[in-house]
């Protein structure tokens, strides 16, 4: 791997400046027009076309497009990788189902376009992006350890409901896995001495716990400090307050059983910039 994460980050600094200079006013105007034309979507069931937020110079379409619903779900880890590494991309937000069916390789989202490549499966997308940005681990041993923590992060997320009920079976399993993560946390990194996919995946899981159950990381001081430090990195801090970051929905907080499409109700208002700019698939 010859590229370092900083290669993309340097480009992102220039992009941020050009977007601020040329794009902010346009996006605000579009958001205002869109607002006037249609009420803000309150859930994923809103009847709207997909929208896009471009993280690249407005006149320079990026090679990479990530499509997912206007949800965190399986799209949030790829988004976090793109944001952390500074890869320029279009972030597409779908509402309802259907638009992607003709071209999504397995008929579902997320999908990632990277030049001529069209990739589905969230794990494959995350690994592709990690390889592209050289955060997949240095040697074979580190790559294997990155994969171990990637899987641990998935397991943690699968037991999210346990964060609200420590006495439940999921709660006990989750506590055991959090203790494992705490024991393996090397401060700012889980593998080696620089950021890898392992850190992004664990941040995604742990930061969500902290959001849906504030204080739940108190018994795990290393994990709590890791999340705080990761969130404070300029690229992540900016993202978390940007139009690209969507709120959680009721289905995602682990407090009640998943209730299908109606349960994807936003817990906070969607930012106007997230849904202001309509998007169509290439060639449509
Ligand atoms: N194993 C796939 C699962 C993809 C998946 O279940 N996608 C769901 C949303 S989370 C979807 O597209 N549902 C709508 C549909 O099937 O049309 C992955 O990890 O990407």
């Amino acid at each position: 791997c010859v590229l370092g994460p900083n290669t993309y980050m340097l480009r992102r600094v220039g992009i941020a400046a050009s977007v601020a200079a040329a794009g902010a006013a346009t996006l605000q105007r579009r958001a205002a027009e869109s607002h006037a034309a249609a009420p803000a979507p309150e859930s994923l069931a809103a009847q709207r076309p997909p929208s896009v937020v471009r993280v690249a110079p407005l006149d320079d379409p990026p090679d990479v497009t990530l499509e997912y619903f206007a949800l965190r779900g399986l799209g949030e880890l790829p988004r976090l990788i793109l944001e952390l590494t500074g890869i320029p991309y279009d972030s597409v937000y779908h509402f309802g189902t259907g638009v992607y069916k003709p071209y999504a390789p397995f008929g579902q989202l997320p999908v990632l376009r990277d030049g001529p490549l069209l990739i589905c499966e969230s794990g494959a997308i995350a690994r592709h992006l990690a390889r592209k940005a050289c955060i997949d681990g240095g040697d074979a041993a580190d790559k294997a350890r990155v994969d171990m923590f990637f899987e641990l992060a998935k397991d943690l997320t699968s037991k999210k409901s346990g964060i609200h009920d420590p006495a439940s079976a999921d709660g006990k399993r989750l506590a055991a896995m959090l203790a494992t993560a705490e024991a393996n946390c090397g401060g700012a990194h889980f593998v080696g001495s620089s950021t890898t996919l392992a850190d992004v995946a664990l941040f995604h899981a742990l930061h969500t716990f902290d959001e849906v159950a504030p204080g739940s990381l108190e018994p795990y001081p290393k994990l709590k400090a890791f999340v705080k430090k990761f969130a404070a990195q300029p690229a992540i801090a900016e993202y978390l307050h940007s139009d690209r970051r969507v709120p959680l929905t009721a289905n995602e907080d682990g407090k009640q059983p998943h209730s299908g499409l109606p349960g994807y109700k936003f817990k906070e208002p969607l930012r106007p910039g997230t849904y202001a700019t309509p998007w169509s698939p290439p060639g449509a």
Side-chain angles (χ1 to χ4, degrees), residues 68-69 74 97 100-101 107-110 120-123 264:
Y68 190 59
F69 297 101
L74 296 176
T97 53
Y100 50 87
K101 288 286 181 195
Q108 291 192 307
L109 298 178
C120 69
E121 288 292 339
S122 53
Y264 287 115

Side-chain angles (χ1 to χ4, degrees), residues 41-48 68-71 93-101 109 248-252 256-267:
E42 291 183 357
S43 83
L44 199 62
Q47 293 296 317
R48 314 180 57 97
Y68 190 59
F69 297 101
L71 289 179
Y93 302 88
H94 286 258
F95 295 85
T97 53
V99 172
Y100 50 87
K101 288 286 181 195
L109 298 178
L248 281 173
T249 60
N251 269 348
E252 295 175 286
Q256 58 274 309
H258 193 287
S259 62
L261 195 56
Y264 287 115
K265 196 169 161 33
F266 301 118
K267 290 170 71 79

Side-chain angles (χ1 to χ4, degrees), residues 44-55:
L44 199 62
Q47 293 296 317
R48 314 180 57 97
S51 60
V52 63
V53 183
R54 173 158 294 175
V55 192

Side-chain angles (χ1 to χ4, degrees), residues 75-265:
E76 195 60 14
L77 177 59
R79 288 183 193 128
L80 282 166
I81 299 168
L82 289 159
E83 296 289 340
L84 176 83
T85 58
I87 297 172
Y89 76 111
D90 274 353
S91 191
V92 171
Y93 302 88
H94 286 258
F95 295 85
T97 53
V99 172
Y100 50 87
K101 288 286 181 195
Y103 58 84
F106 293 173
Q108 291 192 307
L109 298 178
V111 298
L112 182 90
R113 298 165 192 274
D114 186 356
L117 288 178
L118 182 61
I119 307 171
C120 69
E121 288 292 339
S122 53
I125 291 170
R127 288 188 168 95
H128 172 79
L129 291 172
R131 285 191 292 272
K132 184 180 175 84
C134 304
I135 60 163
D136 58 333
D139 58 15
D142 273 0
K143 287 182 200 298
R145 286 177 58 74
V146 166
D147 281 347
M148 285 164 48
F149 287 106
F150 179 83
E151 297 299 329
L152 178 63
K154 267 177 30 190
D155 289 348
L156 284 165
T157 298
S158 75
K159 300 290 177 216
K160 185 165 53 186
S161 65
I163 204 80
H164 302 295
D165 185 4
S168 67
D170 276 1
K172 287 179 187 154
R173 183 70 199 111
L174 183 61
M177 290 192 288
L178 285 167
T180 298
E182 173 81 1
N184 281 279
C185 181
H189 308 296
F190 280 84
V191 179
S193 56
S194 61
T195 299
T196 65
L197 174 60
D199 301 323
V200 193
L202 280 157
F203 169 75
H204 173 42
L206 299 170
H207 189 248
T208 306
F209 294 156
D210 200 36
E211 182 175 348
V212 301
S216 57
L217 296 182
E218 287 301 328
Y220 312 101
K222 287 205 263 179
L223 299 182
K224 187 180 159 193
F226 164 80
V227 168
K228 193 170 169 194
K229 192 164 183 175
F230 195 101
Q233 299 176 83
I236 296 298
E238 191 273 330
Y239 168 62
L240 294 177
H241 295 97
S242 75
D243 290 341
R244 281 107 60 206
R245 172 78 161 179
V246 289
L248 281 173
T249 60
N251 269 348
E252 295 175 286
D253 66 9
K255 287 185 182 156
Q256 58 274 309
H258 193 287
S259 62
L261 195 56
Y264 287 115
K265 196 169 161 33

